[in-house]
Amino acid sequence: MNGPGREDIVMFIERRTGRRLTALQQADVLAALDLDGDAAQGFMAAFAAEFAVDLTGYEPRFHHRDEGRAVRPGWPIAPPHLFGVRLPVSVSTMTQAAQTGRWPVIYPVLTAARSRQWLNAPLILIGLPVLAAVVIALVRMF
C-alpha cells in the first residue's frame, strides 16, 4: 500500500510524546504511553489530523477508559474496561489507518450494563465516619 509507513507512525509518536517505543510497546501504544480519557482522545485526534484519517468508526470505549486516573470513581483502584474488553491500538493498526484514510477496526456490537457508580456515595457516607471512628479509637488507646 502507498502512504505513510510504520516508521512514519513511530516518528509521529516520538515527536508527539518524546518517547521512542520498543517493539513490544508498539503492540499497544495507548497502554505504553499510559494514556486514558482526554489524553488518549487528544492523541488519537492529533494522529487523525496528521495522517488525514477519518476516525468516524473509532470506538474509544474499547481502547481506553473515559476519565483521568485521579477523578475516576474508586481511585486509586481502576475500574475494569467497558465490557471487560480492552483492544490495543498498535502501530500496525495506526499504519493501516494512515494508509487507507479510515479506522480499520470493526467492533463487536455489545450493550453496556447499567452503571453502579451510585454505590460510591453510600460507601463514602458510611465508610468515612466508620474509618474516622476507628482512627479516633486507636489514637485514644495509645
Side-chain angles (χ1 to χ4, degrees):
M1 290 186 165
N2 294 332
R6 184 177 188 85
E7 192 56 34
D8 296 319
I9 303 301
V10 171
M11 291 305 297
F12 162 76
I13 294 168
E14 187 174 349
R15 279 193 320 272
R16 174 93 179 154
T17 65
R19 291 183 53 194
R20 180 91 173 166
L21 299 181
T22 66
L24 183 60
Q25 291 173 325
Q26 290 177 17
D28 195 349
V29 174
L30 297 179
L33 298 173
D34 197 27
L35 297 177
D36 269 334
D38 292 339
Q41 295 270 18
F43 177 82
M44 292 306 292
F47 163 73
E50 175 91 12
F51 296 101
V53 174
D54 178 16
L55 288 181
T56 302
Y58 177 72
E59 290 283 341
R61 62 190 179 164
F62 283 98
H63 301 289
H64 56 83
R65 294 182 179 91
D66 290 336
E67 299 174 353
R69 291 191 185 281
V71 296
R72 278 196 306 243
W75 182 87
I77 300 168
H81 283 275
L82 184 65
F83 310 120
V85 175
R86 187 183 160 284
L87 302 176
V89 174
S90 67
V91 170
S92 300
T93 304
M94 294 172 76
T95 302
Q96 185 180 357
Q99 290 174 347
T100 61
R102 61 184 171 75
W103 190 248
V105 178
I106 298 173
Y107 299 96
V109 178
L110 302 173
T111 305
R114 292 181 47 208
S115 172
R116 293 193 178 107
Q117 291 183 4
W118 62 271
L119 288 171
N120 289 338
L123 289 174
I124 290 171
L125 293 174
I126 295 168
L128 287 179
V130 169
L131 180 63
V134 169
V135 169
I136 291 169
L138 288 173
V139 168
R140 287 185 180 175
M141 267 207 284
F142 296 110

